[in-house]
Amino acid sequence: MSIVHPNEFGQFQQDSTTPHMSRVATNWFQEHSSDFRHFHCPPRSPDMNIIELICVALQCPVQKRSPPPRTPMDFRTALQDSWCGKPPGYLQTLVENMPRRVAALLRARAGPTRY
């Protein structure tokens, strides 16, 4: 983590899916716990995972393409076009919105939120 976050701890977000809870993953987290902060999300909470938000934002334009991508290269090109269509600051906006998402989750007591 020192390469990615030289002046502070990194953060790892985990949503309790089966692969994240495997014995190998659990042991790795225990061995490297001093390298990062570990942020646990409730199971099945894609609105709390920035990667899930990015995947949805990239998939929607790809699924709407006509004709749809038919080859892996077509799919890759469609994803790149989708990514390039995102406004400057898109990722920063997702990061800045996380405190509101966390607050909404806490108010809902880990239940459904409006996100």
Side-chain angles (χ1 to χ4, degrees), residues 7-18:
N7 298 322
E8 61 181 292
F9 285 111
Q11 294 192 25
F12 185 85
Q13 185 172 341
Q14 180 180 4
D15 62 3
S16 302
T17 60
T18 302

Side-chain angles (χ1 to χ4, degrees), residues 42-48 100-115:
R44 297 177 301 282
S45 57
D47 55 334
M48 299 305 297
R100 286 194 317 218
R101 291 177 185 278
V102 170
L105 181 71
L106 292 173
R107 280 192 306 274
R109 299 180 188 241
T113 66
R114 68 178 185 86
Y115 289 100

